[in-house]
Every structure is written in structure tokens, then in C-alpha cells.
């Protein structure tokens, strides 16, 4: 496991952070989605609503906090370790999840043929690999691990009155991973495969909390998806 970066979560900036409760907005929107009538859930805009609210909340939160990048875990001096540890994590998770998708799930009777018709499958290979996947990894990790998990960890430390250095924020880690896995667009697009986020999210989140280096989850996310996308595309298309 990489060592914490100098600008770790337990900083004076983090302690004086303002409006961390804005992170509860996309959490509430995500789980409220499943209370809507089925006909409403079919609309793409409704499926995207929790993520749109997340970016709105991030923007509002950003207007109240400075310096911004360390709070999100974006540290220039963390790029080298981000590439190294992100590559290792991404290859490991990518290989494991590829075996699960191509072999374990079909053996248990789950259909994966629907992956041929996802929006990602219709994007030209030269655009999807690696550029689009990398862009998705950056945006998603800033949202879910940079903003959402970081703010939930800040809220948890305030509620329990414990230092973020000594307290690993298990509630924040669990809630952010659950929100990530049950994101409406992810569930609609990837169907039963959205459960992969239940173990991917805690791995990426634990690294982010341990190091406050968001570069590691970004690289891990990108590498993992590239591995799975390439293998599944070769097997199905």
C-alpha cells in the first residue's frame, strides 16, 4: 500500500472545511431514484440526475473552500506514485473482473450478451481506447472519490469527533461505494454487472483515504476498464 501524501486528509484545511453536507445531495438523489415509478426511471435525464446533482453540489462546495485541489486529493507530487500503484491496482482488478464477466457469470447462468448494445460498445474503438475511458475515469473519480467520499469522510469525522488520520471513515467508504454501485445510469447500462462497483468502490476509496492521492484511483479505474473493455470486446464483438 502506498504511503500517505504530505497533503493527507487530516489537514487544517480539511478541519475547517465548509459545506461538506452538500455531498448528501447526490446520495439522496441516487436512492430516491429507486422510489420513482418505472416509467420515470426509463428516461435518460432522470438516470443522469444524481450525477448532474453531484457536479452541481461539487461546484457549490468548491465556491466555499480553498485550496481546492488538496481537498479533492489532486496533488501534483502524487502523479508518479499514482501511475505506479494505479497500474498495479488496475491490472489486478481488471484481470479479476474480466474472469468474472467472461467465465464465472456465464457459468452461473447470467447473460452478458447485452454488453454488445451498450453505449460504450457503439463508440469507435480508436476513441474509446484509451481516450474516452481515461476521460470517464477522471470525471467519475473526481466525483465519487474526490468529492463524495472526501466530504462524507469529513462529515463522519465531525459526527464522531475523531481524527481522519486515526479513523478510517468506514461509514463514508461504505456509503460512497454503495452510491457508486447503484448509480442509476450504471445500473441501467450494465444491469447485474453494476455489482462490481461494490468491491471496486471500497478498493479505490480506501486508497484515496489512505493516501489522499486521487491519481491512484484515477489510473486504477482507467487501467481496469481498459483491460475489461478490451477483453470483453474481443470475446463478444
Amino acid at each position: 500500500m502506498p504511503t500517505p501524501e504530505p497533503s493527507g486528509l487530516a489537514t487544517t484545511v480539511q478541519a475547517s472545511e465548509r459545506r461538506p453536507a452538500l455531498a448528501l445531495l447526490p446520495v439522496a438523489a441516487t436512492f430516491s431514484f429507486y422510489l420513482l415509478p418505472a416509467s420515470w426511471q426509463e428516461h435518460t435525464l432522470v438516470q443522469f440526475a444524481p450525477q448532474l446533482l453531484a457536479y452541481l453540489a461539487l461546484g457549490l462546495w468548491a465556491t466555499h473552500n480553498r485550496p481546492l485541489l488538496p481537498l479533492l486529493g489532486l496533488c501534483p507530487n502524487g502523479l508518479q506514485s499514482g501511475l505506479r500503484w494505479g497500474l498495479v491496482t488496475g491490472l489486478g482488478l481488471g484481470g479479476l473482473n474480466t474472469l468474472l464477466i467472461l467465465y464465472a457469470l456465464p457459468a452461473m447462468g447470467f447473460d452478458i450478451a447485452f454488453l454488445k448494445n451498450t453505449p460504450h460498445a457503439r463508440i469507435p474503438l480508436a476513441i474509446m481506447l484509451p481516450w474516452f475511458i481515461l476521460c470517464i475515469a477522471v470525471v467519475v473519480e473526481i466525483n465519487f472519490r474526490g468529492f463524495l467520499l472526501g466530504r462524507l469522510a469529513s462529515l463522519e469525522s465531525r459526527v464522531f469527533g475523531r481524527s481522519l488520520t486515526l479513523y478510517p471513515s468506514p461509514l463514508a467508504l461504505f456509503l460512497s461505494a454503495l452510491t457508486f454501485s447503484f448509480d442509476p445510469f450504471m445500473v441501467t447500462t450494465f444491469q447485474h454487472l453494476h455489482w462490481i462497483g461494490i468491491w471496486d468502490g471500497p478498493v479505490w476509496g480506501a486508497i484515496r483515504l489512505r493516501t489522499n492521492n486521487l491519481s491512484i484511483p484515477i489510473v486504477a479505474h482507467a487501467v481496469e476498464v481498459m483491460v475489461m473493455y478490451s477483453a470483453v470486446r474481443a470475446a463478444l464483438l
Side-chain angles (χ1 to χ4, degrees):
M1 173 66 68
T3 56
E5 298 296 330
S7 53
L9 278 174
T11 64
T12 55
V13 175
Q14 183 79 28
S16 62
E17 181 180 338
R18 302 177 63 189
R19 308 291 194 276
L22 283 167
L24 296 176
L25 180 61
V27 174
T30 295
F31 296 108
S32 295
F33 171 85
Y34 297 98
L35 301 177
L36 297 174
S39 58
W40 289 28
Q41 294 181 12
E42 295 175 358
H43 294 283
T44 303
L45 183 59
V46 176
Q47 296 168 12
F48 268 115
Q51 289 197 43
L52 294 176
L53 286 171
Y55 295 117
L56 174 61
L58 192 160
L60 292 174
W61 168 82
T63 63
H64 294 283
N65 293 279
R66 293 291 186 276
L68 190 61
L69 294 184
L71 285 173
L72 292 172
L74 294 169
C75 309
N77 61 349
L79 184 58
Q80 183 176 354
S81 62
L83 291 171
R84 181 173 64 254
W85 287 101
L87 179 63
V88 171
T89 306
L91 288 174
L93 287 174
L96 175 64
N97 289 330
T98 296
L99 292 174
L100 175 69
I101 294 171
L102 293 182
Y103 299 103
L105 289 178
M108 292 186 288
F110 289 96
D111 174 45
I112 62 169
F114 73 90
L115 290 171
K116 294 186 290 185
N117 300 313
T118 62
H120 305 75
R122 293 193 288 268
I123 297 175
L125 179 62
I127 297 177
M128 189 69 183
L129 194 67
W131 313 112
F132 194 70
I133 291 177
L134 183 57
C135 289
I136 291 175
V138 171
V139 172
V140 168
E141 290 306 312
I142 288 176
N143 179 9
F144 285 99
R145 255 62 64 179
F147 171 66
L148 182 63
L149 174 58
R151 295 350 355 117
L152 291 177
S154 179
L155 283 174
E156 185 174 345
S157 71
R158 295 183 184 190
V159 170
F160 291 97
R162 297 175 178 176
S163 168
L164 284 167
T165 301
L166 303 175
Y167 191 54
S169 305
L171 295 179
L173 188 62
F174 173 76
L175 185 56
S176 64
L178 206 62
T179 304
F180 171 66
S181 179
F182 281 87
D183 175 75
F185 179 74
M186 179 179 292
V187 173
T188 303
T189 302
F190 296 108
Q191 301 180 25
H192 48 273
L193 296 182
H194 80 94
W195 285 98
I196 289 175
I198 290 292
W199 52 86
D200 277 1
V203 171
W204 298 333
I207 292 173
R208 188 267 197 258
L209 289 177
R210 174 72 174 84
T211 68
N212 194 32
N213 184 358
L214 194 64
S215 298
I216 302 176
I218 288 174
V219 174
H221 189 150
V223 170
E224 176 181 345
V225 174
M226 288 179 193
V227 170
M228 292 190 297
Y229 175 82
S230 300
V232 171
R233 185 182 179 95
L236 298 181
L237 301 182

